[in-house]
Amino acid sequence: MQRAIALRGLARERAARACRRVARGLATNPDEVRRNAPQCITEEQRDYYFQHGYLVLPGFLSDEWLERLNAATDEVVERSRGFSHEAVRPLGQFSEDDPLADKLVLAEGHTAEAPMLTRLSAPVDVHPDYWAYSFELAASIASDLLGPDVRFHHSKLNFKWPGALEEIRWHQDIQFWPHSNYTPLTLGVYLCDVTDEMGPMKVVPLSVHDELHPLTDPTTGEFTGVLSEESLARVATGSAADTAGPRGTVTIHNARCVHSSLPNTSARARPLLLNTFVSASAAPLHAGTNGIHLRSKRGMPIVRGEQPVFTTFDPRPCPMAPDFSSGYVTPFIQPAANRDG
């Protein structure tokens, strides 16, 4: 009996310690992460992320990685020639006959003669070099910011083609794939030199704005995936940081950050490879696209460390997207000419 009481007391103390580790300000608890020395970035860069919730690493990737990722991207664009707008499916409607069918979002001007992808979903499921980069390098960068136990969540490759005039409107990520805490972050890498006219991501630092917004139409309540004009009026978008940089530049932003990007008005395409990671202490909730990512070829594997015994819960509430497990079409990528308002 005394042993059982002691074990229950030990369990309660462990649970209490886990609760104390929940981040109250920024998404990642710096004291927990700093117990492990960074392997890929500097301590100063890590501190910057802890304070502002985003980080830009200019020209970080080696030429070898860039050559591999660009070659994989060229292969995917070539394969997309065989798809029409009618042939693609919503993300999550998997096809055994053609694994690309639910992973392509085609730009309005896409043809077999002039292929134009807006997005490749789950590139890690499509080409081994995308997964190699995610597992070998991107996960190590994420571990420097999240701690030793890291889970892969999902990946995507966003394109911006000259003349497509597509923009990504102001939004936050965590509502699309909510978790029990706010550690999720996304690493992007520019596969070519990116200038301001090419529509680089702009991100509002968490040190400026750390409020979550329902990404819904204020009149109908319908999920739109973007901040309403009413919500956007409360965000200091003028303080958004520009992430333009030379090829190989890595961008990192926490899932609470408000961010967007303008259309590409240059004469060159702008591919941006994105990988999302979470602390292994964060449990995905049954909402948004989490069901789709769980069922994908890679799933959500542990890529560093191990699965902790305890899941941590952030007490701050989170607006959540509907459950898109049966299929998802991204709502907030659209030609600038078709913007609401």
Side-chain angles (χ1 to χ4, degrees):
M1 173 66 79
Q2 289 181 339
R3 175 177 170 77
I5 293 173
L7 288 175
R8 285 197 296 270
L10 179 60
R12 283 195 296 270
E13 175 56 28
R14 286 177 175 171
R17 287 201 300 269
C19 288
R20 287 194 293 270
R21 287 197 294 269
V22 172
R24 304 285 177 175
L26 295 183
T28 304
N29 189 320
D31 292 338
E32 291 290 317
V33 178
R34 286 195 187 100
R35 294 180 181 178
N36 298 272
Q39 302 300 309
C40 297
I41 62 176
T42 67
E43 196 67 63
E44 291 75 19
Q45 289 168 335
R46 184 156 74 171
D47 285 341
Y48 190 92
Y49 175 82
F50 292 157
Q51 181 178 357
H52 300 291
Y54 84 98
L55 187 62
V56 180
L57 306 173
F60 187 86
L61 252 66
S62 67
D63 287 340
E64 179 183 356
W65 272 122
L66 287 167
E67 288 170 7
R68 291 174 64 179
L69 293 174
N70 275 307
T73 301
D74 290 342
E75 288 183 31
V76 170
V77 172
E78 186 64 26
R79 290 172 63 184
S80 76
R81 293 178 184 272
F83 285 83
S84 65
H85 287 273
E86 293 74 24
V88 298
R89 303 182 180 188
L91 178 64
Q93 293 187 4
F94 305 106
S95 170
E96 295 294 335
D97 297 332
D98 197 326
L100 272 184
D102 75 318
K103 295 178 175 58
L104 301 179
V105 178
L106 304 178
E108 288 187 357
H110 171 85
T111 64
E113 295 74 25
M116 295 171 64
L117 294 179
T118 294
R119 170 175 289 180
L120 171 66
S121 298
V124 296
D125 292 352
V126 174
H127 196 288
D129 280 345
Y130 289 130
W131 176 246
Y133 161 71
S134 178
F135 183 80
E136 296 174 23
L137 179 56
S140 294
I141 301 171
S143 181
D144 284 349
L145 300 172
L146 296 174
D149 302 320
V150 177
R151 182 184 300 279
F152 171 83
H153 188 259
H154 76 279
S155 64
K156 52 184 171 280
L157 178 60
N158 285 347
F159 294 82
K160 285 193 177 180
W161 297 89
L165 296 181
E166 290 171 338
E167 68 175 337
I168 296 184
R169 299 167 62 192
W170 292 104
H171 67 284
Q172 295 162 304
D173 291 337
I174 193 65
Q175 297 91 322
F176 286 88
W177 22 264
H179 281 68
S180 62
N181 62 48
Y182 294 115
T183 58
L185 55 78
T186 297
L187 277 77
V189 56
Y190 290 126
L191 301 184
C192 65
D193 294 337
V194 173
T195 60
D196 288 338
E197 63 181 354
M198 297 175 74
M201 182 179 69
K202 294 182 180 296
V203 56
V204 178
L206 287 185
S207 51
V208 173
H209 188 86
D210 190 17
E211 176 188 357
L212 286 178
H213 301 270
L215 306 183
T216 55
D217 185 293
T219 301
T220 66
E222 179 182 0
F223 183 78
T224 63
V226 299
L227 270 68
S228 67
E229 292 300 322
E230 179 181 334
S231 294
L232 199 56
R234 301 202 300 272
V235 183
T237 55
S239 65
D242 196 331
T243 64
R247 74 184 202 128
T249 291
V250 170
T251 69
I252 306 169
H253 67 278
N254 180 263
R256 295 178 66 91
C257 287
V258 175
H259 57 289
S260 72
S261 61
L262 293 173
N264 178 5
T265 60
S266 77
R268 297 185 294 121
R270 189 228 69 178
L272 171 63
L273 178 63
L274 298 156
N275 282 275
T276 294
F277 299 91
V278 305
S279 167
S281 70
L285 306 181
H286 189 74
T289 57
N290 280 331
I292 294 174
H293 301 314
L294 278 168
R295 301 196 323 271
S296 67
K297 178 181 176 181
R298 295 287 178 185
M300 298 183 191
I302 297 291
V303 290
R304 292 294 183 274
E306 58 187 20
Q307 178 62 49
V309 174
F310 292 99
T311 296
T312 58
F313 293 83
D314 193 302
R316 294 173 291 178
C318 178
M320 297 194 299
D323 179 20
F324 293 120
S325 295
S326 61
Y328 170 73
V329 177
T330 180
F332 56 84
I333 300 177
Q334 61 176 268
N338 295 337
R339 287 190 61 179
D340 294 340

